[in-house]
Amino acid sequence: MGYYREQGPAMSGSGTVPPATLEGAPALPGEARGIAAGHAFTGPALDLGALLWDGARRPDAPVRIPLSVLNRHGLVAGATGTGKTKTLQLIAEQFSAQGVPVFLADIKGDLSGVARPGASNDRVRTRAADVGREWPPAGFPAEFFALGGLGHGIPYAP
């Protein structure tokens, strides 16, 4: 199945800002400050989470990628259970929220849930807090296509 998001308003601009310092958090080591500075942007960007340093998540060092550099190819790879699907879902949802069209070929239907708001639970709230973010449940516009006219959705015939 594929999903398509209608194009919204154009987004532009990005600048860099120093990483935030959270009250009560220990200062980032020099090497970690360099990594954090490389991901500190203002303007439209994908928010991928927080720096992991010495086994601890550092919400004072967000990992962000400006939309202006996301017009290239990318690869999400890993072993079973490492979060590839969730990573793709996070990226697709953030693109959609910023008005960028998204097409996902999802043979197994793992990503069809983007159309409905998710349910909050302790694990989701804990993860969001670990990376210094709020997580409001949200659904995103989705159009389902059935290749060859088989299955549910709009038949796709090129």
Side-chain angles (χ1 to χ4, degrees):
M1 294 203 164
Y3 309 99
Y4 179 77
R5 162 65 167 89
E6 294 293 325
Q7 185 166 358
M11 307 301 262
S12 64
S14 69
T16 59
V17 295
T21 303
L22 293 180
E23 192 174 314
L28 288 171
E31 300 92 348
R33 278 196 310 273
I35 294 168
H39 290 280
F41 301 95
T42 59
L46 294 186
D47 188 353
L48 298 179
L51 178 67
L52 183 64
W53 192 260
D54 282 338
R57 291 179 191 95
R58 297 298 304 257
D60 52 337
V63 176
R64 303 182 78 228
I65 302 175
L67 289 183
S68 62
V69 301
L70 291 170
N71 60 347
R72 295 157 178 87
H73 291 91
L75 173 68
V76 176
T80 301
T82 57
K84 297 177 300 294
T85 300
K86 288 297 180 188
T87 299
L88 289 171
Q89 183 175 346
L90 172 75
I91 291 169
E93 288 174 351
Q94 288 193 39
F95 272 138
S96 180
Q98 297 214 36
V100 177
V102 177
F103 178 84
L104 298 171
D106 179 20
I107 302 303
K108 296 185 340 185
D110 292 337
L111 298 170
S112 61
V114 301
R116 292 191 177 153
S120 185
N121 59 42
D122 289 339
R123 183 175 179 197
V124 170
R125 285 187 292 273
T126 299
R127 172 68 177 151
D130 283 350
V131 294
R133 305 293 181 270
E134 290 185 23
W135 183 80
F140 295 87
E143 185 85 32
F144 296 93
F145 295 96
L147 296 179
L150 303 174
H152 300 291
I154 299 170
Y156 175 75

